[in-house]
Structure formats: C-alpha cells, structure tokens
Amino acid sequence: MTEAAAGPGRAHPGPRRETARRAGTALRRRIEQLQLPSPVRESLPTALLLSLLLLHVAATHAPRELPVAAALTTALVLPLRWRRRAPRAVFAAVAAAAGVQWLVGIQLPADAALLVALYAVASHAGRPDRVRPDTAGPDTAGPDTAVRLDTAARRDTLLACAVLTGGALLACLRWTTGGAFQAPFLALTATVVATATLGTNARTGRAYLAVLAERAARLEQQQDQQARLAVAEERTRIAREVHDIVTHNLSVMVALTDAAVHARHHSPDKATAAMLRAAETGRQALTDMRRSLGLLRTDEPDAQRHPLPGIAELADLADRMRAAGLPTRVDVRGEPARLPATVQLTVHRLVQEALTNTFKHAPAGTRAEVRIRCTATAVTVDVTDDNPGPPPSSGHGAPGHETPGHGIAGMRERVAAHGGTLRAGPLPGGGWAVRVRLRLDGVPAASA
C-alpha cells in the first residue's frame, strides 16, 4: 500500500461509530421511558410478597394469634424493600424480627425473608476489590480476570451465615419433636450456605462485568482517539501532497509563461514551445492532483491509471526543470526499482521540493544536480546547486533564515516518517545543498 493510500480508509469508521452510538443511546432512552420508575420497581415485589403472606397468615392462624402473626410477618418482609441500598441494616432488622418470633413461639412462612436478606448481604454489601492481571490493558480482560470481595464484605457474609445457622439450631431445638432435629438442622444449614454462595457468585459476576465494561469503554475511547489521529494524519498528508504539486507546477508554469511573453516578438517559435510546455505542466499538475485526491474515493479510477511518481519519474521532472530554465542533472546509483513505493514517492517529493526552491530563489544561470544512492539499508539524496550568491532569505530553510511555510516543514515530516535525517545549508565554495538519508530498516522491499 502506498503512503497516499494508507490513510483515507482509516478516517471512515468515525461517522459510522458515532451513528451507532447515537442509535444505542436513543434505544436505551426509549427502554427507560417504557420502564416503571425505580421506586415502583423496587417496592412492587415486596408488596406482592407481603400481601400473599398476610393472606396465608389470615387463613392459617387463630384469631387470637392473628395480630401478632401479621405484625411479625410485616416486620420480616417489609425491610426487604431496602435490601439493595442497606443490606446490613435490613439483615439486622429481619434477624431481630425473627428473634422476637422465636421468643413468641409462632412459626411463620415469612422466615424465608432471612434467606433473602442473607443473599442481599452476600451480593450487595461492601465494595468489590478488582484484581487485574499483571499485563492489564484494554485487550487482557478474560476468564482469568479475578474479582474478589474485600475483607469487610467477606466478614459480613460470614457473620450473617453464623447468625442464620445459630437461628436454625434454636428453631430446630424448639419446634422439632422427638429430638429429631439433626436432619432439619442440616437441611437449613445447607440452604444457608447455598444462599450465601449464590449471593457471592452474583456479586463476583457483576464486578467482573464492570471490569469488562470499563475496559470496553477505555478501548472505545482509544479507538476514537486513533480515528481522530488518523483523520489529522490524512489531512496533513493531503496538505503536503497538494503543496508539493501546486508549488512546483505553478512555479514552472509561471516561469514558462514569462519566457513566452518575452520571446513572443523576437522568437515566436520559442514562445510557442514555452506555452506548450506550460500547458503540459498544467496537465501534469491536474493528473497529480486527481491521483492524490482520487485515492479518497473508492470509485475513482485515476489512482489506478496513474501510479504514484517514483525515482524513475525524476528524469521527467528534470526535463521540466530544464525547460523552465534550470539545467538539472540526475544521477541514480543502486537498484531503485527494489525500493518500496512509499520510499520512492518520498524521494520524488523531496527532490521536487528542493529543485522548486532552487528554481524560485536562485538567479539565472544556476545549475542543479541530483545524486541518489540506493543500498540495502538506506537511501541518500543530495540536491545541490552552484548559486554563487548569498544564502536565500527563504525557501531553502537555512538556520536562522526560515520563514513560515510548508516547504521545508513538509520535507522534514516526510524524512521523519522513515526515521531519516535532513540537512540544508550553503556549500563552502558557493551554492546550496539539501542532504537526506532515509532508513530502510524494517521497510519491506518491493518485489523485483
């Protein structure tokens, strides 16, 4: 994949992800509108259970026991309304009501509220202590992720189990006949242990899902950040490509047009040739622009009909510069055809920008030379001219003489993308030099 083609496809998931997020938010809001208010949802099961148990009490107890039985049933069941908000207090209230019931000596089916209160303590009391793997990250959540209860929650659960086990023993000793209390006691103890286990498992599952949800949210945030970075990178790439294409070709076209204007009277043939060369340069600029921007569209065939320029196209670039009035010589050593397309595009744009700067700022009669050396590990590019004048005040990027612009900054960005170095400055004997070294370490070579 070329440098120009690598970016655009990454900028598209953003709108789709935003649309999906908005749809999910709208669906959740609609579900919330259809649901009952939270206080009603929490109170309704407790109210139904209390009503059924009071009806059972009214049907099974004598009139003289009915007030006490109804009061104890209400005291056992009604606190369950707040079991999720204050599980410890609810368990204490239910256990106290059960103790009064044992003292009074009335058996009630509402004793099952003790198990509900125990489940609430095991599943809601305290807070989860999340223990993550050593390699914690957005992609490490898995079955080995451990979520355990803190010390207070374990202590509360064990204490509640002990209280219920003691209550079961007292109940069996009081209400069993013939001393056969072992079987009922073992059954009640097993029920207590099973209830506590279920509550602990429910708590662990919720905490585990909370860890997964947190990591999923963090991963989504990272993906959003990567998408925004991809968009910014693509914008920078397009700006850099457009600058290189427009600056170079417009500079050549302006020079050719000026030459045609000066030669139109005394040498019409040269004026015509210059205008034809300017038109050819303009068509080449349009082709380059369509090629660069066409990569943003999947249905644009120009990107396939016109491959990105590389080192082989530097000869045409030198011809255009010579036609515009800058004699240019290109010397390529090594095997440039084996270089990746991204490296060849970078070399082409660097040479194009350096020659454009020389063309714009050097006086007439200046000559330029381009030397490229290709090895297995690096590519070196030297662009020099023999301008005898003082260092230019802009364009080349001399230290202390740079002016705001995209030329030298774009060259440095291209070089930095390959881990290379760029140096620009005057030559000791006069002239200007731009020296670039691009690393090929880790860059796959093109097939021969």
Side-chain angles (χ1 to χ4, degrees), residues 331-398:
D331 180 21
V332 180
R333 303 286 180 87
E335 298 182 4
R338 297 183 60 85
L339 297 178
T342 53
V343 176
Q344 294 202 41
L345 175 63
T346 299
V347 171
H348 184 96
R349 295 304 188 202
L350 291 173
V351 173
Q352 184 183 62
E353 180 65 25
L355 291 178
T356 301
N357 286 338
T358 299
F359 178 74
K360 289 192 300 182
H361 302 289
T366 301
R367 295 178 178 272
E369 184 176 359
V370 178
R371 293 185 301 274
I372 300 175
R373 301 293 181 267
C374 304
T375 65
T377 59
V379 178
T380 57
V381 180
D382 291 326
V383 182
T384 59
D385 61 62
D386 57 0
N387 175 19
S393 60
S394 64
H396 286 77

Side-chain angles (χ1 to χ4, degrees), residues 12-355:
H12 296 301
R16 292 198 297 269
R17 185 183 294 111
E18 184 65 24
T19 302
R21 185 184 297 109
R22 290 177 180 177
T25 302
L27 180 60
R28 287 194 298 270
R29 289 178 179 176
R30 181 59 179 167
I31 293 176
E32 291 174 357
Q33 291 175 356
L34 295 176
Q35 291 178 343
L36 294 174
S38 179
V40 177
R41 292 198 309 270
E42 294 178 357
S43 302
L44 188 58
T46 304
L48 291 176
L49 177 63
L50 180 59
S51 300
L52 292 176
L53 291 176
L54 288 177
L55 290 176
H56 180 271
V57 167
T60 56
H61 286 76
R64 60 185 179 84
E65 295 181 349
L66 186 58
V68 177
L72 290 174
T73 299
T74 302
L76 287 169
V77 176
L78 188 59
L80 298 180
R81 161 65 177 77
W82 299 276
R83 65 188 181 279
R84 290 188 178 91
R85 299 182 182 179
R88 299 184 184 89
V90 168
F91 181 83
V94 174
V100 174
Q101 173 199 354
W102 184 83
L103 293 175
V104 175
I106 300 178
Q107 300 185 48
L108 296 170
D111 289 335
L114 290 166
L115 298 177
V116 177
L118 172 63
Y119 181 89
V121 170
S123 60
H124 295 287
R127 62 177 180 85
D129 182 15
R130 300 171 185 172
V131 180
R132 302 177 181 177
D134 295 336
T135 57
D139 57 346
T140 57
D144 59 341
T145 303
V147 182
R148 59 182 175 82
L149 298 178
D150 59 11
T151 304
R154 290 196 300 269
R155 181 191 61 209
D156 293 340
T157 302
L158 293 176
L159 180 60
C161 287
V163 170
L164 285 193
T165 301
L169 177 61
L170 293 176
C172 290
L173 290 175
R174 178 162 189 171
W175 285 305
T176 55
T177 58
F181 68 93
Q182 294 182 356
F185 174 72
L186 291 177
L188 290 176
T189 302
T191 303
V192 169
V193 173
T195 301
T197 302
L198 290 176
T200 302
N201 290 339
R203 178 190 182 88
T204 303
R206 281 198 308 272
Y208 177 78
L209 292 178
V211 170
L212 295 182
E214 178 182 351
R215 292 184 176 178
R218 186 167 62 251
L219 179 60
E220 182 179 2
Q221 181 180 6
Q222 292 178 354
Q223 290 176 344
D224 291 339
Q225 293 175 350
Q226 292 174 357
R228 288 192 293 269
L229 290 176
V231 171
E233 179 183 350
E234 182 61 17
R235 288 175 177 171
T236 302
R237 184 199 67 81
I238 294 175
R240 189 168 57 235
E241 287 291 319
V242 171
H243 171 270
D244 292 345
I245 294 171
V246 172
T247 301
H248 168 75
N249 290 286
L250 283 184
S251 298
V252 174
M253 291 173 66
V254 168
L256 290 171
T257 304
D258 290 342
V261 170
H262 289 296
R264 71 182 186 277
H265 295 301
H266 60 82
S267 183
D269 293 339
K270 291 184 178 180
T272 301
M275 292 304 299
L276 290 176
R277 178 68 69 172
E280 181 183 350
T281 303
R283 285 191 291 269
Q284 180 65 35
L286 290 176
T287 299
D288 291 344
M289 191 70 70
R290 285 196 300 267
R291 178 174 51 217
S292 297
L293 299 182
L295 291 169
L296 299 176
R297 299 177 55 186
T298 57
D299 58 344
E300 178 60 54
D302 257 346
Q304 299 177 0
R305 290 202 299 264
H306 304 284
L308 291 170
I311 296 179
E313 285 71 28
L314 289 179
D316 297 335
L317 175 63
D319 291 340
R320 291 197 298 271
M321 299 306 296
R322 282 191 291 268
L326 177 65
T328 304
R329 177 177 175 270
V330 177
D331 180 21
V332 180
R333 303 286 180 87
E335 298 182 4
R338 297 183 60 85
L339 297 178
T342 53
V343 176
Q344 294 202 41
L345 175 63
T346 299
V347 171
H348 184 96
R349 295 304 188 202
L350 291 173
V351 173
Q352 184 183 62
E353 180 65 25
L355 291 178

